Amino acid sequence: MPFIQTKGRHGIGEDHRKYSYMRRQSFGGPESSGRLNSWPTGRRTRFYCRVVVAAVVVASLPQVPNGASADVPRGLGKPVKTCHCKQVRRIARMTTRRVKANHSKKAPNVTEFTIPTAASGASQIIQGPDGNLWFTEEGANKIGRMSPNGIFVEYQIPTPASGAEGLVVGPDAKIWFTETNTNKIGDITVDGTINEFSLCNVAARPQHIALYGGALWFSEAGVVDKIARLTTLGSYAEYNIPTPNSEPFGIATGPNPNFLWFTERNGNKIGRLNAGALFSEYSIPTPNVRPWQITPGPDGRVWFTENAGNALGALLPSSGAISEYPVPSPDAQVRRITTGPDGNLWFTEFATGKVGTSTTSGAITETTLPTPNAGPIGITNGPLGSLWAIENIGNKIAQITP
């Protein structure tokens, strides 16, 4: 009789015992009746072949202890592929490794460079057209320059106590900066020549500055609450923000270069200005967050920091919808924000001495800077595939390599 695998009470172990019984019976064991010897030679040969094949298959199947259960293929007809089970186990192992890699992600490498002038009050930083880092020193009344390998040069601003704040690369390859205390806009060439333009409005208090439409645009956070425009030739104009007492502060072009975006610290809004000087304003869902700085994100949204709200915000220009993402450290005083070389958003936490990074879905991690109480403020995407941050209290510039 041919070998037939049957399912018993204990799964494959029962089948194995069934096969052992048939083998003893067929080969003259104690239970043999001698019927096999009476078969024709060809039939006996075919039977022996079947027995050998069955033995090999049964030996290759996983052994399950009595009383256990397992999802194993049944039957000895068509060969059964077991790669699916192996693939499931392999995917599970790979997923485990991915999770571990995410939780043990290598921390960014941080290198710090000390600014030569003590208590410089450094604030904002950008990459210049010459590939160097340029920054404002409000306390020392200077514009600083640092090469990527840490060589510093500092330039004294002609007007004393100017309150140098924001800066941007202009259409003429000069670095333009605001002088908050003296109501001026200055520019500096890469070789250190400085010019200054006095604003007509003595209450302007220019804050941050951006390049838009070939001209310099900046926020005026004095009693006037305006957005102003200055050409490289000195032509100056102001535009009234619809919300009174809005206190405009951060300013930047958006993902669509046809629009200029700005924060309203008192107004608790994000403002937008087009080339025709028409304003739109978007209220932030959480009240009194004091929106600080703003930048175009890699996902087509406009991202901003909430200094008092302890969060990041992201506005979708097509609908005006705003999403908010809390920062893990409480009372961090989130300041500047920029897009990094890794496609994430990077920001500074003044009160915690940390630099944070956020994915576009709002997953935030934080890195503590080596200098205690560093007080980071400005941050920019710069040379060597790194982020560069100003340590206002630590009086250093930190290079952060993701």
Side-chain angles (χ1 to χ4, degrees):
M1 59 181 293
F3 173 78
I4 301 176
Q5 187 180 23
T6 59
K7 180 178 179 180
R9 290 184 302 110
H10 303 296
I12 195 65
E14 183 75 14
D15 294 335
H16 185 66
R17 290 193 295 274
K18 177 72 173 179
Y19 165 73
S20 299
Y21 168 78
M22 293 179 66
R23 182 179 60 183
R24 291 196 303 272
Q25 187 181 55
S26 302
F27 285 89
E31 298 87 357
S32 175
S33 62
R35 290 196 303 262
L36 185 63
N37 294 330
S38 65
W39 288 359
T41 301
R43 185 176 180 183
R44 287 201 304 272
T45 301
R46 290 192 299 273
F47 178 78
Y48 294 149
C49 291
R50 290 171 180 163
V51 169
V52 171
V53 170
V56 171
V57 171
V58 170
S60 67
L61 290 172
Q63 300 300 306
V64 180
N66 288 342
S69 63
D71 287 331
V72 296
R74 306 296 185 195
L76 294 175
K78 191 175 181 180
V80 178
K81 295 181 180 179
T82 61
C83 62
H84 178 68
C85 293
K86 291 180 181 178
Q87 186 179 26
V88 170
R89 290 194 297 270
R90 183 159 55 247
I91 290 174
R93 288 195 295 268
M94 289 175 64
T95 301
T96 302
R97 286 197 295 270
R98 288 194 195 104
V99 170
K100 288 181 179 178
N102 286 340
H103 284 292
S104 61
K105 182 180 178 181
K106 181 181 177 182
N109 183 57
V110 180
T111 304
E112 296 176 304
F113 303 88
T114 300
I115 298 170
T117 301
S120 65
S123 178
Q124 308 306 326
I125 186 170
I126 62 168
Q127 181 176 351
D130 56 351
N132 293 316
L133 286 309
W134 291 78
F135 56 99
T136 52
E137 301 182 28
E138 185 175 359
N141 200 47
K142 297 177 180 178
I143 299 296
R145 185 187 76 193
M146 189 189 83
S147 66
N149 61 348
I151 306 300
F152 285 85
V153 180
E154 297 171 291
Y155 303 96
Q156 194 73 45
I157 298 172
T159 302
S162 65
E165 178 69 18
L167 70 174
V168 71
V169 177
D172 52 1
K174 296 179 182 179
I175 294 91
W176 289 72
F177 58 95
T178 60
E179 300 182 19
T180 301
N181 295 341
T182 55
N183 295 299
K184 294 182 179 180
I185 302 295
D187 69 59
I188 181 170
T189 63
V190 293
D191 62 2
T193 302
I194 295 178
N195 294 305
E196 297 173 292
F197 296 85
S198 295
L199 301 179
C200 301
N201 193 328
V202 295
R205 291 188 59 81
Q207 299 288 325
H208 290 273
I209 188 168
L211 176 64
Y212 174 58
L216 292 311
W217 291 74
F218 48 94
S219 53
E220 294 183 345
V223 296
V224 290
D225 293 342
K226 300 177 186 290
I227 298 295
R229 177 181 182 270
L230 181 72
T231 69
T232 56
L233 298 178
S235 178
Y236 169 67
E238 295 176 309
Y239 303 90
N240 292 320
I241 297 171
T243 299
N245 193 32
S246 60
E247 193 186 358
F249 193 68
I251 189 168
T253 54
N256 182 341
N258 293 322
F259 297 101
L260 188 69
W261 296 82
F262 58 94
T263 60
E264 300 180 21
R265 292 196 295 189
N266 281 349
N268 206 56
K269 297 178 182 179
I270 300 299
R272 188 185 74 176
L273 183 69
N274 67 10
L278 296 177
F279 287 87
S280 300
E281 294 177 294
Y282 305 89
S283 295
I284 299 171
T286 303
N288 304 318
V289 300
R290 298 281 291 173
W292 209 262
Q293 279 295 339
I294 194 164
T295 193
D299 57 352
R301 292 189 290 177
V302 180
W303 286 72
F304 57 94
T305 55
E306 298 183 1
N307 184 256
N310 206 55
L312 302 182
L315 183 150
L316 184 63
S318 60
S319 64
I322 293 177
S323 300
E324 297 173 280
Y325 307 101
V327 172
S329 295
D331 303 320
Q333 293 187 30
V334 190
R335 294 293 178 88
R336 293 279 292 189
I337 186 169
T338 191
T339 298
D342 56 355
N344 291 322
L345 286 307
W346 290 75
F347 58 94
T348 54
E349 301 179 16
F350 181 77
T352 63
K354 297 178 181 179
V355 170
T357 180
S358 173
T359 65
T360 54
S361 60
I364 295 175
T365 57
E366 299 167 297
T367 300
T368 301
L369 296 172
T371 298
N373 303 314
I377 297 182
I379 189 168
T380 190
N381 187 8
L384 305 181
S386 299
L387 285 303
W388 301 79
I390 290 289
E391 299 182 14
N392 179 264
I393 298 175
N395 202 52
K396 297 176 181 179
I397 294 179
Q399 177 188 2
I400 305 123
T401 305

